Short mmCIF file of all heavy atoms in Angstrom, two decimals:
data_model
loop_
_atom_site.label_atom_id
_atom_site.label_comp_id
_atom_site.label_asym_id
_atom_site.label_seq_id
_atom_site.Cartn_x
_atom_site.Cartn_y
_atom_site.Cartn_z
N ALA K 830 103.82 87.96 9.05
CA ALA K 830 103.76 86.59 9.58
C ALA K 830 105.01 86.29 10.40
O ALA K 830 104.94 85.68 11.48
CB ALA K 830 103.61 85.59 8.44
N THR K 855 93.97 94.40 12.41
CA THR K 855 92.78 94.03 13.17
C THR K 855 92.96 92.65 13.79
O THR K 855 93.85 91.88 13.40
CB THR K 855 91.55 94.02 12.26
OG1 THR K 855 91.72 92.99 11.27
CG2 THR K 855 91.37 95.38 11.58
N ARG K 860 94.48 86.82 13.37
CA ARG K 860 94.15 85.39 13.33
C ARG K 860 94.54 84.78 11.98
O ARG K 860 94.92 83.62 11.90
CB ARG K 860 92.66 85.20 13.61
CG ARG K 860 92.23 85.58 15.02
CD ARG K 860 90.80 85.16 15.31
NE ARG K 860 90.39 85.53 16.63
CZ ARG K 860 89.75 86.66 16.94
NH1 ARG K 860 89.45 87.53 15.96
NH2 ARG K 860 89.42 86.94 18.17
N LEU K 904 124.00 91.87 22.92
CA LEU K 904 124.31 90.52 23.39
C LEU K 904 125.82 90.32 23.52
O LEU K 904 126.30 89.80 24.54
CB LEU K 904 123.72 89.50 22.43
CG LEU K 904 124.03 88.02 22.73
CD1 LEU K 904 123.46 87.62 24.08
CD2 LEU K 904 123.49 87.12 21.62
N GLY K 911 130.45 90.06 31.18
CA GLY K 911 130.39 89.02 32.20
C GLY K 911 131.47 87.98 32.06
O GLY K 911 131.85 87.33 33.04
N VAL K 929 126.84 81.85 17.59
CA VAL K 929 125.70 82.76 17.47
C VAL K 929 125.98 83.86 16.46
O VAL K 929 125.15 84.16 15.58
CB VAL K 929 125.35 83.38 18.84
CG1 VAL K 929 124.28 84.46 18.69
CG2 VAL K 929 124.87 82.30 19.81
N GLU K 946 135.80 90.79 17.91
CA GLU K 946 137.20 90.59 17.53
C GLU K 946 138.12 91.65 18.12
O GLU K 946 139.26 91.36 18.51
CB GLU K 946 137.32 90.60 16.01
CG GLU K 946 138.74 90.39 15.51
CD GLU K 946 138.83 90.39 14.00
OE1 GLU K 946 137.76 90.44 13.35
OE2 GLU K 946 139.95 90.34 13.47
N ALA K 949 138.34 94.57 24.01
CA ALA K 949 139.19 93.98 25.06
C ALA K 949 138.50 94.21 26.39
O ALA K 949 137.99 95.30 26.64
CB ALA K 949 140.58 94.61 25.06
N PRO K 952 139.33 91.21 33.14
CA PRO K 952 138.65 90.27 34.03
C PRO K 952 138.39 90.90 35.40
O PRO K 952 139.22 91.67 35.90
CB PRO K 952 139.64 89.10 34.15
CG PRO K 952 140.53 89.23 32.96
CD PRO K 952 140.63 90.70 32.69
N THR K 964 126.83 73.38 37.72
CA THR K 964 125.90 74.49 37.97
C THR K 964 124.52 74.15 37.45
O THR K 964 123.50 74.44 38.09
CB THR K 964 126.42 75.77 37.29
OG1 THR K 964 127.75 76.03 37.72
CG2 THR K 964 125.55 76.96 37.65
N VAL K 993 121.79 69.21 51.59
CA VAL K 993 121.20 70.54 51.65
C VAL K 993 119.94 70.63 50.80
O VAL K 993 119.75 69.85 49.85
CB VAL K 993 122.21 71.61 51.16
CG1 VAL K 993 123.49 71.57 51.99
CG2 VAL K 993 122.51 71.46 49.69
N LEU K 1002 128.70 89.86 41.82
CA LEU K 1002 130.02 90.42 41.54
C LEU K 1002 130.97 89.38 40.93
O LEU K 1002 132.12 89.24 41.34
CB LEU K 1002 130.63 91.00 42.83
CG LEU K 1002 129.84 92.14 43.50
CD1 LEU K 1002 130.54 92.58 44.76
CD2 LEU K 1002 129.66 93.30 42.55
N TYR K 1006 126.96 81.64 43.85
CA TYR K 1006 126.72 81.13 45.20
C TYR K 1006 125.49 80.23 45.21
O TYR K 1006 124.51 80.46 44.47
CB TYR K 1006 126.47 82.27 46.19
CG TYR K 1006 127.66 83.18 46.41
CD1 TYR K 1006 127.85 84.31 45.62
CD2 TYR K 1006 128.58 82.93 47.42
CE1 TYR K 1006 128.93 85.15 45.82
CE2 TYR K 1006 129.66 83.77 47.63
CZ TYR K 1006 129.83 84.88 46.83
OH TYR K 1006 130.90 85.71 47.04
N ASP K 1015 121.62 72.40 60.53
CA ASP K 1015 120.27 72.83 60.89
C ASP K 1015 120.16 74.36 60.79
O ASP K 1015 119.61 75.02 61.66
CB ASP K 1015 119.90 72.36 62.31
CG ASP K 1015 118.40 72.50 62.59
OD1 ASP K 1015 117.63 72.45 61.62
OD2 ASP K 1015 118.03 72.69 63.77
N PHE K 1035 111.61 69.29 49.05
CA PHE K 1035 111.61 70.34 50.07
C PHE K 1035 110.78 71.52 49.58
O PHE K 1035 110.48 71.63 48.39
CB PHE K 1035 113.04 70.81 50.38
CG PHE K 1035 113.67 71.60 49.26
CD1 PHE K 1035 113.54 72.99 49.21
CD2 PHE K 1035 114.39 70.96 48.25
CE1 PHE K 1035 114.11 73.72 48.17
CE2 PHE K 1035 114.96 71.69 47.22
CZ PHE K 1035 114.82 73.08 47.18
N ASP K 1042 113.64 86.06 49.33
CA ASP K 1042 114.32 86.97 48.40
C ASP K 1042 115.77 86.50 48.33
O ASP K 1042 116.57 86.82 49.21
CB ASP K 1042 114.24 88.41 48.89
CG ASP K 1042 114.89 89.41 47.93
OD1 ASP K 1042 115.76 88.99 47.14
OD2 ASP K 1042 114.56 90.60 47.99
N GLU K 1098 141.62 93.36 56.67
CA GLU K 1098 142.39 94.27 55.83
C GLU K 1098 141.55 94.81 54.68
O GLU K 1098 141.56 96.01 54.39
CB GLU K 1098 143.65 93.59 55.29
CG GLU K 1098 144.70 93.25 56.35
CD GLU K 1098 144.31 92.05 57.20
OE1 GLU K 1098 143.41 91.27 56.79
OE2 GLU K 1098 144.90 91.88 58.29
N ALA K 1101 138.90 97.23 55.97
CA ALA K 1101 139.43 98.57 56.28
C ALA K 1101 139.83 99.34 55.03
O ALA K 1101 139.49 100.52 54.87
CB ALA K 1101 140.63 98.43 57.22
#
Side-chain angles (χ1 to χ4, degrees):
T855 64
R860 294 189 181 94
L904 176 62
V929 172
E946 180 180 354
T964 306
V993 303
L1002 300 178
Y1006 295 90
D1015 194 27
F1035 71 91
D1042 182 337
E1098 292 75 17

